Amino acid sequence: MKVLRSTVKKETKSVTGEVVMAGKKLDRVHAQSALETVRENPLIAVIAAAPALVVFGLVWWLAGFGTAVVLLLAIGVVGLVVAKLRS
């Protein structure tokens, strides 16, 4: 499928006229780039995950492991629902 890229707006148009906003899909190249970045410098991944780990640890300490896991799952579900509604 041939894709025409717009220079003014951040979108692509396919031959059929379908508009796909840039950044909505994670393709193989971007996924590979992200994985290579983590492999080269794992500290970046640790720094990115640190706030979530701190919150998980605090909830575990204050309310118990089960509550921390339930909260983690609830936040994950809410994140997926919000991502689906935005797309």
Side-chain angles (χ1 to χ4, degrees), residues 20-26 83 86-87:
V20 180
M21 296 301 292
K24 293 290 183 179
K25 294 182 181 178
L26 183 66
R86 286 187 179 177
S87 62

Side-chain angles (χ1 to χ4, degrees), residues 8-28:
V8 177
K9 297 180 181 177
K10 295 280 185 177
E11 63 186 28
T12 57
K13 291 185 180 181
S14 66
V15 175
T16 60
E18 176 188 14
V19 176
V20 180
M21 296 301 292
K24 293 290 183 179
K25 294 182 181 178
L26 183 66
D27 61 3
R28 184 177 297 270

Side-chain angles (χ1 to χ4, degrees), residues 22-77:
K24 293 290 183 179
K25 294 182 181 178
L26 183 66
D27 61 3
R28 184 177 297 270
V29 174
H30 289 106
Q32 188 66 29
S33 298
L35 185 59
E36 288 174 9
T37 300
V38 171
R39 284 183 183 158
E40 288 177 10
N41 193 352
L43 184 62
I44 292 173
V46 172
I47 291 170
L53 294 173
V54 168
V55 170
F56 181 79
L58 283 173
V59 172
W60 185 354
W61 180 58
L62 294 172
F65 180 73
T67 306
V69 170
V70 169
L71 181 64
L72 182 67
L73 291 174
I75 291 172
V77 168

